[in-house]
């Protein structure tokens, strides 16, 4: 009986002592951060040390700008040390950590500053072309980074240099939120601005921005021709004066100019040209009969010219028509031009054939050596009476009631 | 004999000819269809990319006052989408330790940092499930050519669950601020620089003192014909009005109604059903009944990357209903402790914890509770809730002791029994079940316990049902049949003996 009590009491003591021991070991698990330094430079070796007693089976959670990792300690008798991996410690920003143990929670953070030396200047320039006149601008954004790709600390001085025509100047901006920027305005002249920047004695490469002329202003036109006869052969050339923007820059080459030609009947034709050195040239064939043209040019939606008038004199005053014996071959010509010279080849001759007031057929031929010939086929035009009409250079000759066998 | 052989030979030849031709045609067909795949224009142009909500943390832009070019709304929303997607793909990458999707949302030099961390975590067998719950970005700068934007994202609430060798070692909630430089590359706003400028552990500061609740005598409500499916096409205001009359006339003052998460449209809440819910509240108000709204019914995912979607769901519903006079309480979720086994107690509790904070942030004026399925779980998160509620289906004689024990643990907050009841089913599947008279006796007794201890109560349920969806109690017939007969009124609309004790002894 006594033995039984003894046995029970021993068991009880054992049980109590293990519980107490467990409690002691829990209570004695103790961690204290030994690392005093709270500011580091990117790329520094960061080692977080803890004084501890008790359980060494702990982890360190740490989180930088991009993500989180969990580290295992290197433990000695009383100290735990965690070395932060290089790829984590090289990024600037707050690195916060937490010791993960089953008992106490130890947390903290270190501030990793970017390096003070520069490796690259990241520049973003846009838009790449701007309009002359001092209101349009391009923007240069500079992100200076250290060799670990961290943006440099704010308030870093950035020198922005620009050159345009005879001017060259430098201005300073200071970075904020990791970058610096400057608006670069155009001047009244067109041309090319060269831009570069310098941070901590590191120079960027050269950037350029095209300053294109502003929109065209109104201009004048004139016409050139070798004679004023409506011979349907020569070419009239229309030309603009030098088209300029409002700051007297020649407009960009390739500006599209359309010439609208209105004839005396009110019909419109158009021809067009692109500017080179501010001048656009367009051409049109002379009319083949007497005509008055009025011409006006447009850069559509932006500018237009004055209106000019051109008169074309009749070049061919009369023409002969000779029928063959059976009247089925019709010879027209010689067509004589303004100096009685034979009209240039290619003058259009029309023959219209009517029967009983209805148009049966229209033949169009071009003159060759001042002459044209038509032949009326017996199969197409059988026996009967026809009216013939011949049109050349705006003139018409009519032959009524021609009877054919 | 030889003639037969010749015929066999002939038919074999014919057959083989047919087979060969079939194969050849099939081969050409396969080649043709192969050559016609791949260069699908709609795929090339990404016109078919379906917009699926994957990540919807709360995001509030500071008033726009940025340097550089004024930003338009469309660009800002494009930046917002890509920026949030960048967080999402990053967390997916850290959860799985893969690099999927990172290329689209981080520039070449930025993504190297993420890959480094993935490499470390892969080596250490660490995985991190994380999400951000709040962002408060302010746009600092937008460049003239529209290719570069800088923003400061203040007070980003990050929640992380950290696993080592697939074992959860800790959960962290942090409030951090970031400086972000984004570049427009290939049509994506990609993160070029990300610098954490501030970080601290985050715990929601103790909110307002618990909201006082009035006396509840109530019932869980589903219509007789469409239990667990009362909204949508089968929503019927006539039936609801008639039922609310019955409830009111029986002397009860509250009902408990459920918002099913999936059928209400998850993160993009179906406005028709929401309108129906408001109609239900209108009817309740007209009948002078208060409504306890139980959110997230049948929700079971809980995965950390899904949290922002549940948050969006709660935001829409809470904001739509919070000003309604008939609303009395928010019940975050029905019996979430039943998910402890399959999803892990810590994960479910963490979700509930954050969801309580979120619902309170959206509606500080209504009390919040969780409908635990038993008294043992009712301790969980008790400090965060305005009142504690649990369901009681255990032995009647233990209720008194259980309630008192709980009340000593939670002396300062009301403790509500938001479901209780007994089935009156006895039949083929349970010949020794309770009769309708037994059920009446149960209710009479339990009402006496309620009166004695002054317990606010909500019974289960008004009607006997004809069919129970399999999601509720499974397919087993003895469970299904028991569940059908918890009502005070049978399926023919006749009051059972228990009806006498629906609101009082």
């Amino acid at each position: 009986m006594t033995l039984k009590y003894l046995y029970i009491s021993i068991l009880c003591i054992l049980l109590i002592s293990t519980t107490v021991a467990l409690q002691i070991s829990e209570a004695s698990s103790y961690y204290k951060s030994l690392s005093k330094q709270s500011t580091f430079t990117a790329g520094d070796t960061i080692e977080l040390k803890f004084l501890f007693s008790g359980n060494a089976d702990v982890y360190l959670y740490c989180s930088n700008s991009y993500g989180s990792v969990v580290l295992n300690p290197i433990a000695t008798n009383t100290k735990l040390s965690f070395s932060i991996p290089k790829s984590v410690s090289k990024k600037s920003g707050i690195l916060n950590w937490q010791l993960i143990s089953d008992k106490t929670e130890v947390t903290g953070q270190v501030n990793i500053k970017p390096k003070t030396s520069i490796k690259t200047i990241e520049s973003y320039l846009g838009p790449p072309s701007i309009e002359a006149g001092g209101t349009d601008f391009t923007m240069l954004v500079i992100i200076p980074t250290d060799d670990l790709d961290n943006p440099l600390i704010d308030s870093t001085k950035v020198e922005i240099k620009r050159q345009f025509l005879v001017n060259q100047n430098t201005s300073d901006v200071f970075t904020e939120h990791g970058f610096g920027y400057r608006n670069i305005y155009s001047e009244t002249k067109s041309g090319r601005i060269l831009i570069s920047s310098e941070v901590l004695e590191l120079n960027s490469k050269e950037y350029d921005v095209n300053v294109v002329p502003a929109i065209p202003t109104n201009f004048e036109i004139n016409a050139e021709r070798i004679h004023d006869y409506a011979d349907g052969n020569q070419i009239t050339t229309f030309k603009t004066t030098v088209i300029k923007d409002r700051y007297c820059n020649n407009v960009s080459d390739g500006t599209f100019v359309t010439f609208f030609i209105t004839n005396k009947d009110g019909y419109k034709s158009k021809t067009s040209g692109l500017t080179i050195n501010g001048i656009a040239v367009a051409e049109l064939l002379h009319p083949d009969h007497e005509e008055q043209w009025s011409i006006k040019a447009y850069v559509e939606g932006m500018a237009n010219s004055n209106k000019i008038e051109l008169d074309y004199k009749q070049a061919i005053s009369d023409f002969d028509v000779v029928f063959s014996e059976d009247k089925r071959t019709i010879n027209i010509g010689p067509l004589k031009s303004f100096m009685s010279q034979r009209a240039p080849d290619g003058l259009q001759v029309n023959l219209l054939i009517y029967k009983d007031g209805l148009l049966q057929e229209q033949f169009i031929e071009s003159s060759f050596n001042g002459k044209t010939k038509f032949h009326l086929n017996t199969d197409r035009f059988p026996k009967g009476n026809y009216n013939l009409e011949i049109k050349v250079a705006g003139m018409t000759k009519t032959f009524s009631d021609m009877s054919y066998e | 004999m030889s003639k037969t052989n010749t015929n066999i030979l002939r038919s074999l030849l014919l057959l083989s000819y047919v087979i060969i031709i079939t194969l050849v045609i099939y081969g050409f067909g396969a080649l043709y269809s192969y050559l016609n795949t791949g260069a699908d224009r709609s795929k090339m142009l990404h016109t078919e990319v379906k917009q699926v909500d994957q990540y919807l943390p709360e995001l509030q832009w500071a008033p726009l006052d940025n340097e550089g070019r004024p930003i338009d709304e469309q660009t800002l929303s494009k930046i917002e989408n890509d920026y949030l997607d960048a967080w999402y793909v990053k967390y997916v990458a850290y959860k799985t330790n893969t690099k999927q999707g990172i290329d689209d949302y981080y520039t070449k030099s930025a993504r190297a940092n993420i890959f480094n961390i993935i490499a470390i975590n892969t080596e250490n067998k660490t995985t991190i499930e994380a999400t951000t719950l709040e962002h408060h970005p302010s746009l600092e700068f937008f460049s003239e050519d529209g290719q570069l934007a800088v923003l400061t994202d203040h007070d980003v609430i990050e929640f992380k669950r950290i696993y080592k060798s697939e074992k959860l070692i800790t959960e962290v909630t942090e409030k951090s601020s970031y400086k972000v430089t984004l570049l427009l590359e290939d049509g994506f706003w990609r993160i070029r620089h990300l610098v954490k400028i501030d970080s601290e552990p985050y715990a929601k500061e103790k909110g307002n003192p618990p909201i006082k609740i009035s006396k509840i005598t109530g019932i869980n409500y589903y219509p007789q014909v469409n239990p667990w499916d009362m909204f949508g096409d089968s929503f019927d205001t006539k039936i609801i009005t008639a039922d609310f009359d019955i409830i009111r006339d029986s002397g009860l003052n509250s009902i408990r109604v459920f918002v099913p998460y999936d059928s209400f449209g998850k993160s993009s809440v179906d406005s028709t059903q929401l309108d129906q819910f408001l109609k239900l509240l209108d009817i309740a108000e007209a009948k002078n009944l208060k409504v306890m709204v139980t959110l997230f019914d049948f929700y079971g995912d809980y995965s950390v990357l899904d949290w922002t979607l549940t948050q969006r769901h709660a935001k829409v519903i809470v904001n739509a209903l919070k000003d309604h006079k008939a609303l009395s309480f928010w019940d975050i979720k029905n019996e979430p402790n039943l998910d402890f086994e399959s999803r892990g107690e810590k994960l479910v509790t963490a979700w509930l914890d954050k969801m309580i904070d979120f619902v309170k942030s959206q509606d500080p004026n209504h009390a919040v509770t969780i409908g635990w399925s038993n008294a043992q779980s009712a301790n969980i998160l008790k400090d965060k809730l305005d009142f504690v509620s649990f369901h009681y289906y255990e032995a009647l004689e233990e209720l008194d002791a259980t309630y008192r024990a709980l009340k000593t643990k939670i002396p300062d907050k009301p403790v509500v029994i938001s479901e209780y009841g007994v089935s009156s089913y006895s039949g083929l599947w349970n010949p020794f079940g309770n009769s309708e008279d037994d059920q009446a006796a149960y209710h009479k007794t339990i009402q006496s316990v309620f009166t004695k201890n002054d317990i606010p109560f909500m019974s289960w349920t008004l009607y006997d049902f004809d069919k129970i969806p399999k999601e509720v109690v499974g397919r087993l017939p003895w469970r299904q049949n028991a569940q059908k007969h918890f009502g005070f009124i049978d399926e023919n609309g006749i009051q059972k003996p228990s009806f006498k004790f629906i609101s009082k002894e």
Side-chain angles (χ1 to χ4, degrees), chain A residues 61 63-66 68 70 72 87 91 93-94 96 100 109 122 124 137 139 149 177 179 181, chain B residues 67 90 94 109 113 120-121 124 128 140-141 144-145 160 162 164 170 174 179 183 192 194 196 199:
Chain A
Y61 151 83
S63 163
N64 76 347
S65 298
Y66 282 90
S68 317
V70 174
N72 295 316
S87 54
K91 295 314 291 181
I94 301 289
N96 48 312
I100 304 169
Q109 56 176 243
E122 229 170 272
Y124 299 95
F137 62 90
M139 184 184 271
D149 197 39
H177 308 300
F179 71 98
Y181 80 98
Chain B
E67 289 193 54
K90 185 168 87 171
Y94 288 155
S109 11
N113 300 311
I120 294 170
N121 284 345
N124 292 346
I128 294 165
E140 308 288 359
F141 176 74
E144 185 58 26
D145 57 358
K160 299 175 190 166
I162 294 149
K164 181 114 185 155
T170 193
E174 290 162 349
K179 283 241 183 288
L183 295 180
R192 169 68 189 89
L194 190 64
K196 183 161 27 172
S199 181

Side-chain angles (χ1 to χ4, degrees), chain A residues 59 61 63-72 85-88 90-96 98 100 105 107 109 111 122 124-128 136-139 141 143-145 148-151 154 176-179 181 183, chain B residues 67-69 87 90 94 106 109-111 113-114 116-117 120-121 124 126 128 140-145 148 150 152 158 160 162-164 169-172 174 176 178-179 181 183 191-201:
Chain A
Y59 303 110
Y61 151 83
S63 163
N64 76 347
S65 298
Y66 282 90
S68 317
V69 294
V70 174
L71 306 173
N72 295 316
K86 266 276 178 289
S87 54
V88 174
K90 74 176 192 182
K91 295 314 291 181
S92 64
I94 301 289
L95 181 124
N96 48 312
Q98 183 185 328
I100 304 169
E105 195 175 82
T107 64
Q109 56 176 243
N111 189 359
E122 229 170 272
Y124 299 95
L125 182 70
D136 201 6
F137 62 90
T138 187
M139 184 184 271
V141 182
I143 307 178
T145 50
L148 299 168
D149 197 39
N150 296 307
D154 279 359
E176 199 190 343
H177 308 300
F179 71 98
Y181 80 98
N183 292 341
Chain B
E67 289 193 54
R69 173 169 153 180
W87 280 98
K90 185 168 87 171
Y94 288 155
Y106 294 83
S109 11
R111 69 183 78 126
N113 300 311
I114 294 174
N116 285 336
I117 287 175
I120 294 170
N121 284 345
N124 292 346
T126 307
I128 294 165
E140 308 288 359
F141 176 74
F142 183 49
S143 73
E144 185 58 26
D145 57 358
L148 186 146
V150 178
T152 310
E158 288 177 81
K160 299 175 190 166
I162 294 149
Y163 292 83
K164 181 114 185 155
I169 53 171
T170 193
E171 291 177 341
V172 185
E174 290 162 349
S176 307
Y178 292 89
K179 283 241 183 288
T181 307
L183 295 180
I191 291 181
R192 169 68 189 89
H193 286 299
L194 190 64
V195 180
K196 183 161 27 172
I197 51 172
D198 197 13
S199 181
E200 56 186 72

Side-chain angles (χ1 to χ4, degrees), chain B residues 174-193:
Chain B
E174 290 162 349
K175 183 165 85 174
S176 307
S177 299
Y178 292 89
K179 283 241 183 288
V180 191
T181 307
L182 297 136
L183 295 180
L184 183 63
E185 288 184 350
D186 306 342
F188 288 97
W189 281 97
R190 290 188 179 145
I191 291 181
R192 169 68 189 89
H193 286 299

Side-chain angles (χ1 to χ4, degrees), chain A residues 183-195:
Chain A
N183 292 341
I184 292 153
Y185 284 85
S186 65
E187 295 173 21
T188 53
K189 288 265 162 280
S190 63
R192 179 169 290 180
I193 307 177
L194 299 185
I195 299 164

